[in-house]
Each structure stands twice: as structure tokens, then as C-alpha cells.
Amino acid sequence: IKVNEPWSQALETVLGDHLEALYLSDAQMSSVSDELTSLEEGSLILLKENPHTLTQGDTRFPRLWDQIQVDLPSSVVEPFLANIYIAETLENAFVLQEQLQSQGILGSVITPEGIWLGPGWIRIKKGMKDDKGGVLKREQELRTLESDLQQYKLEIEQKQDQLTVLEETVLDHEAIREGLQIERNQMH
């Protein structure tokens, strides 16, 4: 999942552990039932495509769904985000939440900082001690490191090519020097 800034924290708040879920096809989902019962410890979330038509949310208001790009079928992720709207500030979030309720629209509103308002509830999730950043932040860091690694590999290749050329030049110059040395010795 790629998310437009500044909505990373908001998406982390909404999806939480679902960001680490595994996507399975229908066939794969059917074949894991035995393995699921043998799980003794840990947490696992499996997602598959949802063939049922879901509400798309009211597109008159800005949605969190519109701030992301996914490589999965939209029906896997959109159900979690379709009715979550966004507001730049907490004050705007309260106003939007009131508008949604007054128009009978079921939904919640989240700010870039991850303050999430719903009908009758508020959820706030801030960084915890020893928190190394959320899944999205770590994923972005990995993409950056991978890109840097590719760039360094390219630079190494270029430097190795330059080194090969210089070594050949040195050998050529040594051969010329030896030839000149032989000529000089023959003149004396």
C-alpha cells in the first residue's frame, strides 16, 4: 500500500494489524483450514477478494480510500476504508462528522495525525515507547534502502569499468615504457 502524505498515520490507525495481513486467493483460502486450527500462538490475518458489492462511501466528501494506491484488488482493502472520511484538522473533523450524521451518512472521520472520530467514539493512537515507526513507514524505508542499494550497485559497476580501463591504460603505458627502455639501451 502506498499512501499520499500526510495520511500515513491515519491509515496506520485505521488498518492497524491489517497492514500485516496476507492476501490469499479463494483456492488458497480454502486450503489453509487445517493449518489455521494448528496455529498454537501468534496472530494472523488473512484477506481475500470480496465479491459482494459494498457501499463506496459518499464521494462528496474526501475519503481516506482516495489517498492510497494498492496493488491488490480494491475489494480487498476498500471495505475497511470506504466510509472513512478525512479532515485536515481536528476542528474540521468534528464539523465533518456532524455533517455526516445530520445527512444520515454512516462513517467516521480521521485527521492526518490519526485522531479518528466516529458516531459516539474517538480513537487516538500515538507513537509508543521504542516504536520504530509504523508498517507503512518501515515499508517506505525499505523501498528507499532498496533504491539506494540499486544505485550503489550501479555506481560500483561503473567504478569497476573505470578501473578496468585504467588498468589497461597502465599496461599500455608500461609496454610503451619498456619499448622505449629497450630502444634507449640499444642506442648506448
Side-chain angles (χ1 to χ4, degrees):
I1 295 178
K2 294 180 184 173
V3 62
N4 299 335
E5 287 302 325
W7 299 103
S8 294
Q9 180 63 42
L11 190 63
E12 290 271 355
T13 299
V14 172
L15 292 181
D17 290 342
H18 286 85
L19 287 168
E20 299 182 44
L22 298 174
Y23 170 70
L24 301 179
S25 67
D26 285 336
Q28 291 170 320
M29 189 69 87
S30 298
S31 70
V32 297
S33 61
D34 291 338
E35 288 81 8
L36 294 177
T37 57
S38 67
L39 182 66
E40 294 180 18
E41 189 177 313
S43 174
L44 177 65
I45 299 173
L46 303 174
L47 299 174
K48 70 174 192 159
E49 192 167 354
N50 187 343
H52 304 292
T53 303
L54 297 167
T55 176
Q56 300 262 327
D58 192 318
T59 57
R60 292 177 296 164
F61 302 102
R63 301 178 306 155
L64 186 56
W65 171 250
D66 300 323
Q67 300 300 318
I68 69 167
Q69 301 86 44
V70 293
D71 294 332
L72 299 170
S74 63
S75 67
V76 174
V77 181
E78 190 174 13
F80 296 101
L81 304 174
N83 293 312
I84 300 175
Y85 301 93
I86 57 175
E88 294 287 336
T89 66
L90 185 56
E91 295 79 23
N92 291 347
F94 280 114
V95 169
L96 181 54
Q97 182 63 37
E98 198 171 298
Q99 285 178 328
L100 293 172
Q101 287 180 340
S102 71
Q103 295 182 29
I105 299 170
L106 179 62
S108 57
V109 182
I110 194 160
T111 67
E113 300 81 24
I115 301 173
W116 192 10
L117 312 174
W121 55 269
I122 297 176
R123 179 176 181 200
I124 301 172
K125 182 182 176 192
K126 296 286 184 173
M128 309 303 231
K129 283 186 178 179
D130 299 329
D131 188 7
K132 304 264 192 290
V135 172
L136 295 172
K137 182 178 179 184
R138 290 190 311 258
E139 183 180 334
Q140 179 58 44
E141 288 172 355
L142 285 173
R143 269 192 240 122
T144 300
L145 288 172
E146 179 122 355
S147 174
D148 290 350
L149 180 61
Q150 294 303 319
Q151 182 62 34
Y152 294 143
K153 284 181 178 179
L154 182 61
E155 288 176 18
I156 288 171
E157 280 183 33
Q158 291 171 346
K159 297 294 182 192
Q160 286 175 330
D161 290 345
Q162 289 174 351
L163 179 60
T164 301
V165 168
L166 289 173
E167 286 173 340
E168 290 172 357
T169 302
V170 167
L171 289 175
D172 290 344
H173 287 153
E174 284 180 356
I176 292 170
R177 183 184 59 82
E178 284 180 25
L180 291 173
Q181 185 71 31
I182 291 172
E183 281 181 30
R184 186 178 142 219
N185 288 341
Q186 289 176 350
M187 286 201 240
H188 292 290

